[in-house]
Amino acid sequence: MTYEIDTKAADKHNLRTRFPEECKRLPYEYLDIYEKELVDKCINHEEFSEEELSSLKELLARYRPLFKDYDTVAIEKNLDDNLKIIKTSDELLRLLNDPNRFRIDMNYTIGEERLLLKLRIKQLPDSDYISLLDTQTRVFRELNSTEKKVYAKAAMNQQLSPEEAKMQKHIQDKINERVMDYDSNAEDITEMLAKIVDFVDDPEKTYTEKLDFWKQIDLPARLLLFNKIKQKLNISDKTEEELFPTPR
């Protein structure tokens, strides 16, 4: 009986002090309707039924790991396991000049016939590269600190909790939505493909000839190829932690 009284007293105290502050730190937009109702009631210091209080405590318990800093030692180890260290400019130039670096094989179907397209990517003009890159970095700038931590953790291939995985999906949806603002413009995509994509054994063609060719390829195939090219050119979100790790 004493334990029950003490527990109720502790819950009452936490509802006045700790729980509202924790609720303010929750990723509100990622919660379902019932969870949002619990959070709103807690922040507004409204009365809770025993069932609601139990649900709130379970919700906060699930998300508390997100409030803590990630294990920097584990992140460093993950980087070491997957990082090739470059110490000379010649090493980097050999990788940059690898002829296979910008090669793409693409499956394509016409009727019942499956084809394998042998393609290569030419150098992307600086202005086009910056335009594509800025589309990605603007999205990352808009994320809050918790979202950035989750995205960085996912980028390091670290295990995500169910709550983190849910948040990561929403973040990726944000990125895809912003990117699709660009991708939905079929004319821009077609022009980009005409500028930088050739078949490996194609004779020299004019830009107009290549533009006419890509216009005849169905849009879904152009979209998929366009996104693959962005991956090849490393046009993606990069956190400062990824780009500039502690010198080693």
Side-chain angles (χ1 to χ4, degrees), residues 118-136:
K118 310 286 283 185
L119 307 170
R120 68 169 181 264
I121 307 170
K122 296 176 8 181
Q123 183 65 41
L124 185 68
D126 289 349
S127 59
D128 292 329
Y129 186 94
I130 290 171
S131 175
L132 288 173
L133 183 61
D134 192 51
T135 299
Q136 306 287 333

Side-chain angles (χ1 to χ4, degrees), residues 45-109:
H45 299 286
E46 298 178 22
E47 291 293 326
F48 273 75
S49 68
E50 289 189 12
E51 181 180 351
E52 288 174 330
L53 180 57
S54 177
S55 297
L56 177 68
K57 290 165 69 174
E58 189 273 334
L59 171 65
L60 292 174
R62 291 203 330 263
Y63 277 94
R64 280 194 187 103
L66 288 178
F67 303 152
K68 299 177 182 177
D69 292 332
Y70 293 119
D71 184 356
T72 56
V73 174
I75 292 176
E76 285 291 322
K77 184 180 185 305
N78 189 276
L79 278 171
D80 288 338
D81 291 342
N82 295 281
L83 202 61
K84 181 174 183 178
I85 298 175
I86 301 296
K87 295 183 178 179
T88 70
S89 57
D90 288 342
E91 287 181 89
L92 182 57
L93 284 176
R94 277 197 296 272
L95 294 173
L96 291 173
N97 295 325
D98 182 354
N100 293 319
R101 180 169 171 246
F102 295 122
R103 275 275 296 107
I104 291 180
D105 285 347
M106 179 178 179
N107 290 316
Y108 192 66
T109 302

Side-chain angles (χ1 to χ4, degrees), residues 8-242:
K8 287 186 176 181
D11 288 341
K12 190 174 182 180
H13 175 74
N14 285 330
L15 279 171
R16 290 198 313 269
T17 57
R18 178 184 179 185
F19 291 168
E21 292 305 313
E22 288 186 326
C23 282
K24 291 175 184 178
R25 298 177 64 189
L26 289 173
Y28 189 82
E29 65 180 295
Y30 301 103
L31 305 180
D32 62 34
I33 295 175
Y34 180 61
E35 290 171 338
K36 288 179 179 178
E37 290 176 354
L38 293 175
V39 169
D40 291 338
K41 289 186 68 172
C42 182
I43 292 175
N44 294 326
H45 299 286
E46 298 178 22
E47 291 293 326
F48 273 75
S49 68
E50 289 189 12
E51 181 180 351
E52 288 174 330
L53 180 57
S54 177
S55 297
L56 177 68
K57 290 165 69 174
E58 189 273 334
L59 171 65
L60 292 174
R62 291 203 330 263
Y63 277 94
R64 280 194 187 103
L66 288 178
F67 303 152
K68 299 177 182 177
D69 292 332
Y70 293 119
D71 184 356
T72 56
V73 174
I75 292 176
E76 285 291 322
K77 184 180 185 305
N78 189 276
L79 278 171
D80 288 338
D81 291 342
N82 295 281
L83 202 61
K84 181 174 183 178
I85 298 175
I86 301 296
K87 295 183 178 179
T88 70
S89 57
D90 288 342
E91 287 181 89
L92 182 57
L93 284 176
R94 277 197 296 272
L95 294 173
L96 291 173
N97 295 325
D98 182 354
N100 293 319
R101 180 169 171 246
F102 295 122
R103 275 275 296 107
I104 291 180
D105 285 347
M106 179 178 179
N107 290 316
Y108 192 66
T109 302
I110 300 178
E112 299 296 322
E113 189 173 11
R114 292 187 66 223
L115 310 172
L116 181 64
L117 310 184
K118 310 286 283 185
L119 307 170
R120 68 169 181 264
I121 307 170
K122 296 176 8 181
Q123 183 65 41
L124 185 68
D126 289 349
S127 59
D128 292 329
Y129 186 94
I130 290 171
S131 175
L132 288 173
L133 183 61
D134 192 51
T135 299
Q136 306 287 333
T137 56
R138 281 200 306 271
V139 175
F140 190 75
R141 290 192 208 107
E142 294 168 1
L143 302 180
N144 61 42
S145 59
T146 301
E147 290 172 326
K148 288 179 180 178
K149 287 180 180 179
V150 171
Y151 191 84
K153 188 174 179 181
M156 300 298 178
N157 294 318
Q158 292 187 313
Q159 184 68 35
L160 300 179
S161 70
E163 290 70 36
E164 289 172 326
K166 182 180 178 182
M167 187 178 296
Q168 171 63 10
K169 181 182 183 304
H170 280 270
I171 294 169
Q172 194 59 52
D173 288 343
K174 282 185 181 181
I175 294 171
N176 292 341
E177 181 180 353
R178 179 62 63 84
V179 172
M180 284 305 296
D181 289 343
Y182 190 94
D183 288 359
S184 62
N185 191 326
E187 183 177 349
D188 285 348
I189 293 171
T190 306
E191 290 176 357
M192 186 68 68
L193 296 179
K195 286 179 183 178
I196 64 172
V197 181
D198 289 328
F199 282 75
V200 292
D201 291 332
D202 249 354
E204 193 66 31
K205 291 180 181 289
T206 66
Y207 169 74
T208 301
E209 289 174 323
K210 291 191 286 186
L211 188 61
D212 290 340
F213 164 76
W214 285 111
K215 285 180 179 178
Q216 298 179 61
I217 302 300
D218 57 275
L219 181 57
R222 276 180 276 163
L223 281 170
L224 291 171
L225 178 58
F226 180 75
N227 287 327
K228 183 65 176 178
I229 287 171
K230 288 194 293 184
Q231 293 176 21
K232 276 282 191 179
L233 296 176
N234 202 28
I235 300 175
S236 61
D237 303 280
K238 295 290 182 184
T239 66
E240 290 184 10
E241 291 83 1
E242 288 178 80

